[in-house]
Amino acid sequence: MGRGDVAVTADDVAAGLRQLGLGRTSTVLAHTSMRAFGHVDGGAAAVARALVEVCGTVVVPADTWDQTGVPAPPGLERPWNAYWNAATWAELDEAVDRAAVFAPDLPVDREMGAVPEALRRGHPHHRTAHPLKGFVATGERAAEIVGGQTLDRPLAPVEAVGDAGGDVLLVGVGHTANTAIHVAEQHLGRARYFRYAKVGPRAWAELADLPGESHRFDGLEPALWPSTREVRVGRARLRRVGVAEVLAVTRAAIAADPRALLCDDPGCRCAAAWRGAEPRPGA
Ligand SMILES: [Zn+2]
């Protein structure tokens, strides 16, 4: 704890969520960073508890990509796919041997922060079965939100949160973590990548429509500001914005400029996102 920092409690987090207007009828897709708070008494489990106590339905990203993902096979080219190939079949075999097959008890990738894993371990939940792009949900609408996901519609749970009139909740993170922005990109044909995962003891599969780069997504903050509610808990900003508003604002930004929210670095996945959405010659 740094000098002058006061420990945040689960009650503080719950109070912050209520100040945002959230309650038992709320459905939230929560993206969280523990570090942003400073010190939290009880850690990620306390934040998970506060979310579940206040909101009727809580959905969190639960990717397992770091454990299940493998490179593309040697020589397989997909246009504007922004990914890497194994140099040889032996290299792919080694990667498949090292990777895990998705299972419902596989921990959530650390990149998602500690709260999704705390939610999964500490609360009754429903979980998607996509090998790479996962979601965990608790509460009233959990089954319906998780159930719409298919192998080729990995982001369907985010759309389901929107259909339920739900919100994106950014807890100490920016819009770079806001998956709903990827949904709008994909509605417009952008950032639909093929990726690869281990799916059996010596088996891999190609999976469609995985989203990509998000490092410019905070560029939407000004346009989203009118529909955003914000409070501070400890040092963390908590922001609530409707999924429907995120989708509408993102669609408008991309309609005005197909390269919106993407950088100019030709080496970045951003370039593949807009090139992939361009009409193909002869198409
Ligand atoms: Zn970029």
Side-chain angles (χ1 to χ4, degrees):
M1 235 194 296
R3 196 146 41 128
D5 275 359
V6 177
V8 168
T9 66
D11 286 348
D12 296 333
V13 178
L17 296 172
R18 289 195 186 96
Q19 265 178 276
L20 288 175
L22 296 169
R24 297 313 301 167
T25 58
S26 303
T27 299
V28 295
L29 170 60
H31 298 285
T32 51
S33 159
M34 288 300 296
R35 213 177 324 151
F37 283 108
H39 182 79
V40 180
D41 269 352
V47 175
R49 197 168 64 242
L51 284 164
V52 168
E53 260 169 36
V54 174
C55 304
T57 305
V58 179
V59 186
V60 291
D63 293 11
T64 50
W65 206 304
D66 290 347
Q67 304 159 82
T68 56
V70 297
L76 179 73
E77 291 296 336
R78 292 287 194 181
W80 307 114
N81 200 36
Y83 202 52
W84 60 290
N85 293 76
T88 62
W89 286 100
E91 190 187 316
L92 180 66
D93 286 346
E94 277 167 38
V96 171
D97 283 344
R98 267 197 315 272
V101 177
F102 174 81
D105 59 351
L106 205 62
V108 178
D109 282 351
R110 287 180 189 182
E111 204 188 319
M112 306 290 107
V115 173
E117 179 62 5
L119 193 77
R120 183 188 76 81
R121 295 180 77 99
H123 300 269
H125 61 269
H126 291 262
R127 185 178 192 175
T128 54
H130 193 282
L132 297 169
K133 189 91 204 134
F135 294 90
V136 160
T138 67
E140 227 169 281
R141 310 183 87 132
E144 130 198 13
I145 280 166
V146 155
Q149 194 197 47
T150 57
L151 285 177
D152 62 344
R153 287 186 63 229
L155 300 182
V158 182
E159 299 180 278
V161 172
D163 292 344
D167 294 280
V168 173
L169 181 63
L170 301 175
V171 178
V173 297
H175 287 289
T176 55
N178 185 349
T179 315
I181 297 174
H182 286 308
V183 172
E185 283 192 292
Q186 294 198 335
H187 286 168
L188 297 169
R190 201 171 93 171
R192 309 180 78 121
Y193 300 115
F194 292 96
R195 295 293 182 258
Y196 306 85
K198 179 171 182 169
V199 292
R202 302 222 67 183
W204 55 270
E206 182 178 64
L207 297 151
D209 290 337
L210 276 307
E213 198 50 65
S214 65
H215 70 97
R216 282 280 177 92
F217 282 6
D218 279 323
L220 276 188
E221 184 166 4
L224 285 171
W225 188 245
S227 40
T228 302
R229 295 176 73 168
E230 172 166 351
V231 293
R232 257 178 203 275
V233 177
R235 290 193 310 229
R237 286 174 83 183
L238 274 59
R239 281 178 283 175
R240 170 194 175 183
V241 57
V243 170
E245 281 75 34
V246 175
L247 295 180
V249 164
T250 308
R251 278 195 214 105
I254 297 174
D257 173 9
R259 300 189 195 187
L261 307 174
L262 300 169
C263 77
D264 297 327
D265 176 357
C268 184
R269 285 187 300 182
C270 285
W274 65 262
R275 297 298 299 263
E278 285 183 328
R280 304 264 150 80

